[in-house]
Amino acid sequence: MINIHQFQYLYGVPIIARYTAGMKGYVAPTTTGELSTLMVLGLKGLGSQDAARLRGFQYAQLAKVSRTRLLTQALAALVVVALYAPLLGMDQMAIWCLALVTSLLFMMLGDRNLANAEVRQVTAYEFLFQAVAVVVNALVWSAVLWVFVPYGPRQAHFEIWTVLAMLMTVSAVVIPTVPMATLLFSAIVGGAAIGSFVGGGYMAMAGVAGLFIACIALGTVESARQFLLSRMAVASVAERNEVVSLLLRESEDEGADWLWTLDARHRVSKPGRRFADAIGLPPEDAEGQSLFQLIAGPGWETGDVHPSLRELVARLRGREGFAGLAVRVHVMGRLRWWEMSGAPRWDAAGGFEGFHGVASDVTEQRETAERIAYLARYDTLTGLPNRMMVTEALGDALARAGKWNGNCALMMIDLDRFKAVNDTLGHPVGDALLAQVAQRLRGLTRSSEMVGRLGGDEFAIVLTDGADSGRIATLADAVIDSISQPFTVGSNELQIGASIGSAMGPRDGRSVEEMMRNADLALYRSKGSGRGIHSPYDASLQARVRERERQEDALRTALEREQFHLQYQPVVDLVSERVVGFEALVRWQNPTQGLLGPDQFVPLAEETGLILPLGQWVLNAAAREAAGWPGPARIGVNVTPRQVMGADFVDSVVQALAVSGLAPQRLDIEVTESIFKRDPDAIRATLERILALGCTVSLDDFGSGHSSLDYLRKLQFSSIKVDRGFVKGALSGNVESLATIRAVVAMAQGLEMGIVAEGVETAEELALMRELGCTRVQGYFFGRPMDSVAINRLFARENRRARQV
């Protein structure tokens, strides 16, 4: 169907190149330089459609001048007979004439077959047939020079050359469209003439004949080239008109676009059915009405019309052609978008007749494009500008601040305790909470300040005009106070908070990247300082970043150089008071800081991702060393949520067991309650695979985190380890701690799980844990963390004591 973009070609730029590239016979070249001599002669692309069409243009002329060629050759033959019949007799003349007539009949047969060549393709066979016919005819005429001339006087020789030169000239003039025929005829006959002149000693005439033949050749090729270019131009116009007609018919039959025509006073003229449907009127009612009145709606009376409609009016009044003009119209009581193209119409005398053009309804496409543009710049959940738009606004603010010697600022906001809401109540509640947070933030900002969502639970505010430390502090306090107020989502009353980091531009950064990084550093300090506070950026934060980077490099180096080693804390059975297991504890022998405990480097390893190789090293080393102990004690290895969530965690456990030779039932994987926050179903599936290997799984630090009876019921833990904080609290008489331990003991007994009390350091704590029902204990009372050598000595002492008993 015809569309907006095609219309500008229909009435402007030639459309052949765009719409007829696949049409039969289309010839692309349009300049002399593009028609090579070989193409003009028909020798290039013998098998292609373009070359066949070019030959069709040329050879169709042969049938039209066939009689003229026959007449000129007949007159020339009469001259030959008149000159040489008295000398050679009629018998020889008759033989020559018969040969000439045969060659002419041969040529006429080929000419007749080419009568319709202009509307079809000339085949390679027809091309060769015509060439052979010309060659035969030229040889007949060459015979005159080689057979007749030697028997005649010198004067007859020159007369015959004149006759042959006339034939070559007629060929070049009468059939310039077929240069191959003229060149073949001239080459053979002219060559024979030159040879005869040389043989007769007429060297000057031989040179003249050669020059004559060269001029004939050059003129013939150039004439043929100009003929082809003119024919191609005519064909292009014809094909353009054909394509226009086809496109208009297709548009009328099937298209969604419609044609429109206006008279000189911009009134609708001869409206088509589709145009009438678009404006909601019968064609007869639309006839003669002002186009502006039809599409302007109520604004026609008041002059309150959309700017795009004003532009259309200006184009029409200025009699300017246009294409792809988007116009908002009001038709049938609805606002729609049309895309219009048009061109002025002129009569034969140059008078303005009006406009004609094509239009289509692009409302859906425009709405889709606007929706895509909105999604690219706005957060769909909150309706706030997204990260891309925030960074653009910050870039503009920095540019204005630099130009006018002003200030701007960026505040980055992170919601405190939001993750707990998502984990416990689900994402729908979390999403609704984010939407309410966005509403509160909007209400706190000025028109010159932009609030946006960076992603997750992070928001940002860009401050432009009037940004100073006072405004930043005031706004930060307002945000913290507002976000700390309770939110109501459905039946849930939620309490969260906000931590804020800010950076002032251009003082704290001259680029978007610097500002974002420095505001994020300030936010990191806020979160690390207790949350719910605002921290502006200062240069000391960079020093902390560099220190953090240094620590990360040192940790990476420690992994490469194996600066870690393991110590083991005993787990004692309260019934037999014998060691039944150990918990592996990793230590870092830092070259500059000495021996470091896990609390000094494991958090950094978690943040940087180095916990994965570190955890794998601990697992392998613990299994290897435990396999060499003399007793059957279990070895407990702590794993982090990030390790368990890894796709190859189970494989790493299998590998550690296989390489070390440790029995699976001696390996106890210890996890904390926080592991179930992320994806409890996936975590449970992974731990069930660990249990299927024969290993055991213990729940460490129970009661200190995200407690849930559901995962205790669904997963068969071997034991529950009570956090040391409850042990200390119980000894001091804390009612809550005592109640918690009693509840855990009762629950573990019901689920047939063991109870391990952590952090037991005194006899009083041991006695209390025994009284409360704990089955095993772990702590300094029975021994501090030790290496494998000390463990071997421990087992040796126990074995000696057992033999003595």
Side-chain angles (χ1 to χ4, degrees), residues 366-418:
R366 189 178 182 92
E367 289 176 349
T368 300
E370 290 175 350
R371 179 64 176 166
I372 292 173
Y374 177 85
L375 293 175
R377 301 176 66 82
Y378 286 87
D379 175 54
T380 56
L381 176 62
T382 62
L384 295 177
N386 61 12
R387 177 180 288 270
M388 183 182 76
M389 198 167 178
V390 168
T391 56
E392 289 179 357
L394 180 58
D396 293 340
L398 284 169
R400 285 195 299 272
K403 181 177 181 180
W404 303 107
N405 196 27
N407 293 320
C408 65
L410 173 67
M411 298 173 60
M412 296 185 70
I413 305 166
D414 185 84
L415 301 183
D416 301 331
R417 299 182 297 279
F418 174 78

Side-chain angles (χ1 to χ4, degrees), residues 558-578:
L559 279 169
E560 295 172 356
R561 299 179 181 178
E562 296 188 355
Q563 294 175 355
F564 297 98
H565 69 270
L566 295 180
Q567 291 184 336
Y568 305 90
Q569 187 167 45
V571 177
V572 177
D573 181 75
L574 285 181
V575 176
S576 64
E577 294 192 357
R578 292 178 62 86

Side-chain angles (χ1 to χ4, degrees), residues 319-359:
R319 300 178 181 180
E320 303 175 14
F322 55 91
L325 180 64
V327 181
R328 198 186 75 172
V329 301
H330 193 285
V331 293
M332 295 182 284
R334 295 180 300 170
L335 291 175
R336 308 289 293 177
W337 280 94
W338 289 1
E339 191 172 81
M340 303 181 68
S341 293
R345 296 185 297 119
W346 311 91
D347 59 21
F352 177 66
E353 289 188 330
F355 265 83
H356 56 185
V358 63

